[in-house]
C-alpha cells in the first residue's frame, strides 16, 4: 500500500561532560546540511564556553548557533522553512523547552537536542530527563573515566582540585572550578 510517511520527531543525545554530545550533534547538523535540509541551531545564552554564536566540541568542531535566553525566544525565531532544529546544552533551559520541542516535532520538524542528563551530584539535570521520556530516539554516550579508564557516565566537579560538596554554591568567587569525566565508582561527592 502506498502511504506518505509523516515527518517530525525528537532525538536526544545525552551523557556526561566529554562524552561527545556536541561532537555528535555537530555531525548530525552537518549531515542534515549535506541533505540540503534547512537547519537552525541554538544554545542557551548563558553558555559561552568557547564561542557565543557557535556550538563547540572539546575536540575543536564548531557549528553556528543562535544564543537564546528562553524556550519562547527559540520558538519565535523558527520559520516554516526550517526542517531541523538543533539545541545544545539543553539542560540549561527551563521546563518549557519540552513543550516547544513537542510542538516543533508535531509541526513536522526534526528536533535534535543534546545535553547533560546528570548534574555534578549524579542527579537528573533540568529538562533533560523529561525530554528523554518523550523523545523517539535516545542516544546515551559515555566519556572515558580519567581515573580508571572505564566508560564514564558522570561529571566530577572539582573546586580548587578537590571534589565538590553537594551544597557548594554553583558559582564560587575566587575558587578555581574544574570538571572531569568519571565512572560511577570513581565519582566523588563530599556530603
Ligand atoms: P560533550 O559535548 O559531551 O561535553 P564534546 O563533544 O565537547 O563532549 O567532546 C568530546 C571530545 O572530548 C572527545 O572526542 C575527546 O576528544 C575529548 N575528551 C577529552 N577528555 C575526554 C574523556 N575523559 N573522555 C572522552 N573524551 C574526552
Ligand atoms: Zn572510574
Amino acid at each position: 500500500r502506498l502511504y506518505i510517511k509523516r515527518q517530525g520527531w525528537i532525538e536526544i543525545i545525552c551523557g556526561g561532560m566529554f562524552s561527545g554530545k556536541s561532537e555528535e550533534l555537530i555531525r548530525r547538523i552537518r549531515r542534515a546540511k549535506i541533505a540540503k535540509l534547512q537547519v537552525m541551531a541554538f544554545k542557551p545564552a548563558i553558555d559561552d564556553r568557547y564561542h557565543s554564536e557557535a556550538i563547540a566540541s572539546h575536540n575543536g568542531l564548531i557549528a553556528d548557533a543562535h544564543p537564546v535566553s528562553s524556550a519562547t525566544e527559540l520558538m519565535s525565531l523558527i520559520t516554516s522553512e526550517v526542517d531541523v532544529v538543533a539545541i545544545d546544552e539543553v539542560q540549561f533551559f527551563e521546563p518549557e523547552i519540552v513543550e516547544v520541542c513537542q510542538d516543533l516535532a508535531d509541526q513536522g520538524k526534526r528536533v535534535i537536542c543534546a545535553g547533560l542528563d546528570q548534574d555534578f551530584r549524579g542527579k537528573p539535570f533540568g529538562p533533560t530527563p523529561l525530554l528523554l521520556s518523550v523523545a523517539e530516539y535516545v542516544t546515551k554516550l559515555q566519556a572515558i573515566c580519567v581515573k580508571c579508564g572505564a566508560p564514564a557516565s558522570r561529571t566530577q566537579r572539582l573546586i580548587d582540585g578537590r571534589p565538590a560538596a553537594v551544597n557548594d554554591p554553583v558559582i564560587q568567587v575566587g575558587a578555581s572550578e574544574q570538571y572531569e569525566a568519571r565512572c560511577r565508582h570513581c565519582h566523588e561527592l563530599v556530603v
Side-chain angles (χ1 to χ4, degrees):
R1 206 164 87 220
L2 195 69
Y3 63 97
I4 295 167
K5 285 185 214 151
R6 301 184 69 186
Q7 297 289 311
W9 62 79
I10 300 174
E11 300 168 29
I12 179 148
I13 305 159
C14 68
M17 269 182 80
F18 303 102
S19 64
K21 300 181 299 297
S22 300
E23 202 178 331
E24 175 62 18
L25 181 64
I26 293 166
R27 190 182 81 95
R28 292 187 196 183
I29 291 170
R30 234 190 237 149
R31 290 170 57 89
K33 287 180 177 167
I34 291 169
K36 302 218 180 335
L37 296 169
Q38 278 275 354
V39 182
M40 257 188 111
F42 298 92
K43 57 186 276 184
I46 54 162
D47 174 54
D48 52 6
R49 268 204 296 191
Y50 303 110
H51 300 271
S52 55
E53 308 229 327
I55 294 170
S57 73
H58 289 103
N59 61 342
L61 301 176
I62 284 172
D64 293 338
H66 300 75
V68 287
S69 44
S70 70
T72 317
E73 185 189 352
L74 186 158
M75 192 59 158
S76 74
L77 293 171
I78 292 168
T79 56
S80 58
E81 302 87 72
V82 175
D83 304 301
V84 179
V85 177
I87 309 171
D88 200 14
E89 304 287 0
V90 77
Q91 76 278 356
F92 290 134
F93 283 90
E94 55 297 32
E96 290 78 62
I97 195 70
V98 181
E99 268 325 294
V100 164
C101 290
Q102 296 265 55
D103 289 349
L104 291 168
D106 290 345
Q107 287 170 24
K109 308 212 188 283
R110 175 183 171 198
V111 182
I112 319 171
C113 299
L116 292 165
D117 49 0
Q118 299 173 26
D119 63 17
F120 74 95
R121 300 166 302 168
K123 298 282 185 233
F125 202 152
T128 309
L130 303 170
L131 285 163
L132 289 177
S133 60
V134 297
E136 274 81 4
Y137 303 102
V138 176
T139 305
K140 179 148 174 161
L141 301 174
Q142 308 242 3
I144 305 297
C145 175
V146 300
K147 289 279 172 191
C148 76
S153 57
R154 300 216 183 153
T155 304
Q156 177 69 50
R157 183 180 188 213
L158 299 166
I159 312 271
D160 293 331
R162 276 186 293 269
V166 184
N167 298 319
D168 275 343
V170 176
I171 293 161
Q172 271 177 293
V173 181
S176 84
E177 193 185 36
Q178 258 182 293
Y179 292 92
E180 57 186 36
R182 293 209 193 171
C183 72
R184 160 190 299 281
H185 306 286
C186 296
H187 181 250
E188 293 171 87
L189 195 59
V190 178
V191 284

